Amino acid sequence: MSLADSIAPGADGLMQLRALMTSGRKPGILVALDFDLTEVDVGRAVFAGVPGEHAYNPIGSVHGGYAATLLDSACGCAVHSRLTAAQAYTTLELKVSYVRPITRDTGLVRAEGRVASLGRRAAFAEATLTDADGRLYATATSTLLVFER
């Protein structure tokens, strides 16, 4: 059973995500990379975190996987917010475009995901990663498989 299912069994996607936020419990990826689900609405999800040494790569900047994980989470949860209690999803494809490097001095970054299209079997979402001043660091598009549980 997923964390969302254990917190809000039988609820639709939006209610699950809202219950997860209210509970204060975090899935492992949020703990490991130290970021949070900060906003959720129908077809929209926002994750935020402060990148630091925990996300650094050997070349002295935040690993691209940190940005990709925030963007993937935002796209996925935007889709999750539109699902019924009988549906689930998984990412089929994630395309990330990096605009500028992220360092520990970047400060708070925010990944905002939105559903572009939701069908019976596939969903398409997009997300942007920005800093507190609105500077763009990365963008993503995602294709997600929607299926019955």
Side-chain angles (χ1 to χ4, degrees):
M1 176 180 287
S2 73
L3 180 58
D5 285 332
S6 70
I7 290 172
D12 66 20
L14 181 60
M15 296 309 296
Q16 282 185 331
L17 293 172
R18 286 181 173 162
L20 186 61
M21 288 175 63
T22 301
S23 76
R25 294 177 62 192
K26 295 168 79 168
I29 192 68
L30 272 65
V31 174
L33 291 180
D34 192 23
F35 66 96
D36 293 295
L37 174 60
T38 60
E39 299 175 39
V40 67
D41 205 346
V42 176
R44 180 176 167 275
V46 178
F47 285 83
V50 178
E53 295 288 331
H54 69 283
Y56 261 55
N57 60 30
I59 62 172
S61 62
V62 172
H63 190 280
Y66 180 84
T69 301
L70 268 78
L71 292 163
D72 184 41
S73 298
C75 286
C77 285
V79 168
H80 189 116
S81 74
R82 297 264 314 265
L83 299 182
T84 68
Q87 294 175 303
Y89 74 94
T90 191
T91 302
L92 290 174
E93 177 186 45
L94 180 70
K95 159 77 166 78
V96 178
S97 296
Y98 299 97
V99 176
R100 62 176 39 94
I102 301 170
T103 70
R104 66 180 157 268
D105 298 325
T106 301
L108 182 73
V109 292
R110 185 175 181 271
E112 181 172 349
R114 293 188 180 277
V115 174
S117 175
L118 176 64
R120 193 175 61 78
R121 299 280 295 149
F124 301 90
E126 54 197 18
T128 56
L129 185 69
T130 57
D131 68 10
D133 294 324
R135 281 186 296 264
L136 184 65
Y137 284 80
T139 64
T141 57
S142 181
T143 304
L144 303 100
L145 175 66
V146 177
F147 54 91
E148 296 300 312
R149 291 176 183 259

